[in-house]
RNA sequence: GGCUCCAUGGUCAAGCGGUCAAGACACCGCCCUUUCACGGCGGUAACCCGAGUUCGAUUCUCGGUGGAGUCACCA
């Protein structure tokens, strides 16, 4: 068979030589050890936590080594394109602090290794497919869907591996004349890799270095995988190999679901005479499935796996980043404890410290981390963050941001001290937590404690209002509470009440709870005196007045 | 079903032949305290099973079991 002739027959319009592309995309002149990574989403615009997880690895690897991180749009499957997807992808990741150095952008490509959209790279893939044809390493396959179905059925009944390979690769046997004839007749065909592997030959293993998992040992590929579809568009396998080589990617970060097709990629790299990049197969993010506290389960579209969920709930991007890093690198938490104030960027992220078993998403942990993260954010920044969130997701409450000064005092409540409060977790929760500061959201939610009768309750509030002086300091204020408590038969100290429960109706805590409920509507809140100072004299008095 | 990956408390995880098997989250108790939080102290709780290698296996090898992934002209 004259493979050269076959190549010209199949790709008459491809005139460029592979070498031209090699010189067009020279080795990147980066410093020693610099890593080049990429994110290759399909343009559905749907980004989930798993994508962010992977993107974070790419980003850290590249930026920690003074390398490059680029965005490549993998749109070889025309059915999945969604309008505005690129914009959504870039913005979603940007929100979480992940930025690209080059690649596809909203306004066009940036960088010297483009085009960064696979659908625009048709000629490049065809050029290298032609090269493989000419070297007898690939061939046109004319099998129809029906024929492939029949082959599969036969394989299934014989309990053989399904697929086109070995003797089942019928189109391998075609002569040049037969191929020419079919093409003239307009018969549709794909280009398949002519694999050197043999089914069942378990002795032949490939060894691939994976930065997360160490040396992987797998059986070699034996499938004549499709590399170019009938449309001339490449499959993922071929596009991955060609692109990551020409774009000089050094580290390929992708999910573990790609592990089974790794032998295909290895054979393709080998046949094209290229070096494989370093693979980093990340663990899958897991989730407990519905209802039952069942087993691990991975899903594409669980609500809390969608990034929108975190934005809706109003988690601060920094909290999500920090959480991701704690599940990404097992030594991060320890580092954070030693460096509570340091920027995340100072942490040395390594693939070796990555877990290779799937992590179950833990909302408790996220919340815990978020509390600490928010503590590091100033009230002013928090104000801006919440306001931006409310503008997008809760426009009906935007008026609470009108008085910035008031809001910032609220947000700073109890945060300045050595043992700061950690009440704030995410926007939705924060709004609920501080709602009593706003008259239109204020409501009485809790009951007076059992120790306080209704009559006593009114008396407490009456006396409280009578003696109220807004300029009292905290201890003067509390002395007055104590006085009210004792005159009404409540212990001034909880310990006294505990010792002699029969001598008192209750203790000062019960009395202050009454005040607390009148002011905040709830029996639990930060310090009453401090809250009063923020509420102001008028609002404080009027709330007490209302319950008398 | 074939192939692949994975396997330490409820969750995330240290460990890389000899440890009373870290730590964090969650949970429980106590302390602090006018409530709640915060903080402090303490507690419950784990090496999937079976062989083999070894003086000795959570750690190495094999087998099983379990979970996950993948077997497309989708990525």
């Amino acid at each position: 068979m004259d493979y050269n002739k076959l190549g010209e027959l199949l790709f008459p319009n491809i005139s460029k030589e592979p070498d031209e592309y090699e010189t067009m995309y020279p080795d990147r002149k980066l410093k020693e050890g610099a890593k080049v990574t990429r994110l290759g989403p399909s343009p559905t615009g749907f980004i989930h936590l798993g994508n962010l997880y992977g993107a974070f690895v790419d980003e850290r690897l590249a930026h920690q080594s003074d390398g490059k991180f680029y965005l490549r749009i993998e749109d070889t499957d025309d059915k999945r394109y969604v309008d505005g997807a690129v914009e959504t992808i870039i913005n979603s990741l940007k929100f979480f602090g992940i930025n690209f150095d080059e690649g596809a952008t909203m306004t066009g490509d940036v960088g010297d290794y483009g085009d960064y959209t696979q659908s625009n790279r048709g000629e490049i893939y065809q050029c290298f497919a032609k090269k493989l044809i000419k070297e007898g390493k690939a061939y046109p396959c004319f099998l129809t869907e029906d024929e492939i179905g029949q082959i599969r059925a036969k394989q299934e009944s014989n309990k053989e591996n399904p697929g086109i390979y070995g003797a089942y690769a019928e189109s391998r046997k075609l002569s040049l004349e037969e191929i020419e004839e079919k093409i003239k007749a307009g018969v549709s065909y794909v280009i398949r890799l002519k694999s050197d592997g043999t089914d069942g030959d378990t002795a032949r293993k490939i060894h691939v270095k994976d930065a997360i998992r160490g040396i992987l040992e797998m059986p070699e590929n034996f499938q004549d995988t499709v590399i170019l579809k009938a449309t001339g568009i490449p499959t993922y396998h071929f596009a991955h190999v060609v692109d990551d080589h020409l774009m000089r990617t050094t580290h390929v970060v992708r999910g573990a679901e790609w592990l089974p097709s790794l032998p295909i990629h290895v054979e393709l790299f080998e046949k094209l005479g290229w070096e494989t990049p370093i693979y980093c197969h990340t663990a899958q993010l897991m989730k407990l499935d519905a209802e039952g506290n069942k087993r691990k389960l991975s899903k594409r579209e669980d609500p809390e796996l969608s990034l929108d969920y975190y934005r809706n709930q109003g988690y601060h991007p920094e909290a999500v980043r920090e959480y991701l890093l704690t599940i990404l690198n097992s030594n991060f938490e320890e580092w954070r404890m030693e460096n509570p104030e340091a920027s995340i960027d100072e942490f040395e992220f390594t693939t070796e410290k990555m877990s290779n078993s799937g992590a179950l998403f833990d909302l408790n942990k996220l919340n815990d981390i978020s509390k600490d993260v928010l503590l590091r954010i100033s009230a002013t920044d928090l104000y801006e963050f919440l306001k931006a969130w409310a503008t997008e997701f809760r426009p009906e409450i935007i008026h609470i941001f009108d008085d910035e000064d008031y809001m910032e005092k609220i947000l700073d409540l109890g945060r300045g001290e050595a043992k700061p409060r950690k009440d704030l977790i995410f926007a939705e929760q924060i709004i609920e937590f501080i709602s009593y500061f706003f008259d239109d959201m204020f409501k009485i939610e809790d009951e007076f404690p059992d120790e306080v009768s209704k009559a006593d309750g009114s008396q407490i509030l009456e006396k409280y209002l009578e003696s109220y002086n807004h300029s009292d300091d905290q201890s003067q204020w509390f002395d007055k509470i104590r006085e009210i408590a004792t005159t009404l038969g409540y212990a001034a100290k909880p310990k006294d009440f505990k010792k002699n429960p029969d001598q008192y109706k209750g203790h000062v805590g019960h009395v202050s709870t009454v005040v607390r409920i009148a002011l905040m509507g709830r029996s639990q809140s930060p310090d009453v005196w401090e809250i009063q100072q923020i509420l102001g004299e008028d609002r404080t008095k009027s709330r007490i007045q209302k319950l008398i």
Side-chain angles (χ1 to χ4, degrees):
Chain A
M1 164 89 75
D2 183 344
Y3 292 124
N4 258 317
K5 211 169 163 189
L6 179 61
E8 294 308 328
L9 174 66
L10 294 171
F11 299 104
N13 299 322
I14 298 296
S15 52
K16 269 211 177 82
E17 289 299 318
D19 282 351
E20 293 181 53
Y21 288 112
E22 296 287 352
T23 47
M24 198 183 301
Y25 305 114
D27 273 338
R28 290 165 183 270
K29 293 182 197 77
L30 296 173
K31 73 173 211 185
E32 182 84 21
K35 299 178 171 86
V36 179
T37 61
R38 102 269 120 126
L39 190 72
S42 62
T44 58
F46 181 70
I47 299 273
H48 56 85
L49 199 67
N51 291 324
L52 185 65
Y53 177 89
F56 211 91
V57 178
D58 280 311
E59 193 272 345
R60 285 290 79 201
L61 254 29
H63 291 160
Q64 240 174 210
S65 65
D66 291 325
K68 295 280 183 202
F69 176 38
Y70 67 90
L71 176 66
R72 181 171 71 217
I73 302 302
E74 310 212 334
D75 57 347
T76 54
D77 181 14
D78 42 335
K79 289 158 241 163
R80 294 168 65 154
Y81 207 94
V82 174
D83 265 356
V86 175
E87 196 174 343
T88 310
I89 291 165
I90 292 174
N91 284 336
S92 302
L93 292 171
K94 192 175 185 175
F95 180 78
F96 290 101
I98 292 180
N99 297 297
F100 297 98
D101 305 307
E102 66 175 57
T105 72
M106 288 167 247
T107 49
D109 281 0
V110 171
D112 300 328
Y113 291 81
D115 198 300
Y116 294 95
T117 301
Q118 288 183 334
S119 56
N120 296 334
R121 299 171 62 80
E123 282 187 18
I124 301 177
Y125 304 118
Q126 287 170 23
C127 172
F128 287 97
K130 185 177 184 180
K131 170 182 153 85
L132 289 178
I133 294 276
K134 284 182 162 184
E135 293 171 359
K137 294 171 180 170
Y139 66 96
C141 171
F142 295 90
L143 256 23
T144 64
E145 221 174 294
D146 271 1
E147 287 167 326
I148 291 175
Q150 283 166 25
I151 290 173
R152 170 176 296 267
K154 188 175 167 191
Q155 289 166 330
E156 271 170 22
S157 68
N158 289 350
K159 293 192 173 162
E160 291 175 307
N161 284 314
I164 304 304
Y165 58 90
Y168 293 108
E170 288 165 21
S171 291
R172 277 199 193 194
K173 302 164 202 155
L174 263 25
S175 68
L176 189 58
E177 291 69 34
E178 287 170 312
I179 292 171
E180 202 162 2
E181 216 168 279
K182 283 178 185 288
I183 286 175
K184 270 186 188 152
V187 181
S188 169
Y189 66 93
V190 299
I191 304 294
R192 285 182 188 274
L193 168 71
K194 194 185 286 177
S195 175
D196 288 328
T198 315
D199 177 27
D201 190 351
T202 49
R204 292 179 64 179
K205 302 274 192 188
I206 57 164
H207 295 88
V208 189
K209 190 179 172 234
D210 186 290
I212 297 173
R213 293 159 193 268
I215 305 288
L216 297 168
E217 187 189 76
M218 302 182 141
E220 65 175 2
N221 174 56
F222 62 87
Q223 295 272 356
D224 283 0
T225 311
V226 173
I227 58 174
L228 281 190
K229 305 176 199 176
T231 51
I233 293 170
T235 56
Y236 167 86
H237 307 298
F238 196 54
H240 149 56
V241 171
V242 171
D243 289 348
D244 281 320
H245 175 255
L246 291 181
M247 295 181 183
R248 311 296 171 183
T249 310
T250 63
H251 290 65
V252 171
V253 180
R254 42 145 73 153
E257 71 269 23
W258 289 108
L259 239 21
S261 50
L262 187 54
I264 296 169
H265 307 149
V266 170
E267 186 170 13
L268 281 169
F269 272 109
E270 193 182 291
K271 291 244 179 326
L272 286 162
W274 298 334
E275 206 179 313
T276 54
I278 295 171
Y279 285 98
C280 308
H281 288 97
T282 62
Q284 306 263 267
L285 237 34
M286 306 290 197
K287 174 192 183 297
L288 287 176
D289 76 355
E291 311 264 307
N293 30 9
K294 297 240 174 85
R295 300 297 136 188
K296 290 169 184 176
L297 194 148
S298 93
K299 265 279 181 296
R300 288 272 159 94
E301 294 171 34
D302 290 300
E304 64 271 55
L305 285 188
S306 156
L307 287 191
D308 290 340
Y309 175 82
Y310 303 96
R311 295 190 64 172
N312 278 314
Q313 291 289 298
Y315 279 95
H316 193 100
E318 201 54 33
V320 176
R321 276 162 65 87
E322 188 116 358
Y323 172 69
L324 242 26
L325 211 42
T326 68
I327 54 176
L328 235 27
N329 257 197
S330 53
N331 53 332
F332 175 75
E333 266 191 287
E334 198 181 324
W335 175 87
R336 175 50 87 199
M337 280 189 260
E338 285 163 14
N339 305 278
E341 302 298 327
S343 155
I344 273 185
D345 296 341
E346 290 169 36
F347 172 74
E348 195 190 336
F349 176 84
T350 57
T351 49
E352 289 79 14
K353 284 287 181 185
M354 285 183 71
S355 167
N356 45 14
S357 62
L360 202 54
F361 187 77
D362 188 349
L363 207 58
N364 275 328
K365 191 82 178 180
L366 204 212
N367 287 341
D368 182 65
I369 287 170
S370 192
K371 288 179 191 173
D372 285 315
V373 169
L374 293 194
L375 219 48
R376 272 182 255 129
I377 296 171
S378 73
T380 311
D381 289 349
L382 211 48
Y383 169 85
E384 293 300 336
F385 168 70
L386 290 172
K387 189 176 177 184
W389 171 82
T391 306
E392 193 171 354
F393 300 104
R394 295 283 297 277
E396 74 279 8
I397 58 150
I398 197 70
H399 64 276
I400 69 173
F401 294 92
D402 290 347
D403 187 343
E404 181 169 348
D405 193 48
Y406 185 56
M407 191 58 146
E408 285 185 14
K409 278 184 191 156
I410 293 169
L411 294 173
D412 246 349
L413 183 62
R415 298 209 314 161
E417 290 104 78
K419 285 195 246 168
R421 299 187 61 92
K422 296 182 181 176
D423 297 314
L424 313 181
I425 307 174
F426 54 94
E428 189 75 51
Q429 173 271 141
I430 293 172
I431 298 304
E432 160 60 22
F433 185 77
I434 64 173
S435 60
Y436 55 81
F437 278 102
F438 305 93
D439 288 332
D440 58 326
M441 291 196 273
F442 170 76
K443 56 181 186 292
I444 306 289
E445 293 169 1
D446 292 338
E447 309 268 308
F448 286 168
D450 294 341
E451 289 80 356
V452 180
S453 67
K454 208 170 175 204
D456 274 4
S458 304
Q459 277 221 47
I460 289 168
L461 294 175
E462 261 172 52
K463 287 184 184 296
Y464 186 75
L465 192 58
E466 253 168 52
S467 66
Y468 189 79
N469 182 344
H470 196 64
S471 49
D472 281 347
D473 66 23
Q474 193 159 13
S475 66
Q476 288 170 321
W477 166 80
F478 192 60
D479 284 344
K480 286 180 178 173
I481 300 265
R482 280 219 163 98
E483 209 178 304
I484 294 169
T486 33
T487 51
L488 291 178
Y490 293 82
K493 292 180 178 172
K495 275 183 180 165
D496 296 340
F497 175 64
K498 271 187 184 170
K499 273 185 207 159
N500 304 299
D502 301 337
Q503 288 179 28
Y504 305 97
K505 295 180 188 167
H507 61 76
V508 66
H510 299 123
V511 174
S512 67
T513 298
V514 171
V515 174
R516 183 171 256 120
I517 286 170
L519 291 173
M520 276 69 88
R522 2 182 135 156
S523 57
Q524 302 170 1
S525 80
D527 187 75
V528 176
W529 181 82
E530 284 184 56
I531 292 173
Q532 287 177 157
Q533 292 304 307
I534 296 172
L535 282 172
E537 182 163 7
D538 294 346
R539 193 152 17 200
T540 302
K541 283 184 168 172
S542 87
R543 284 195 184 172
I544 299 289
Q545 186 68 257
K546 271 185 200 147
L547 277 200
I548 293 177

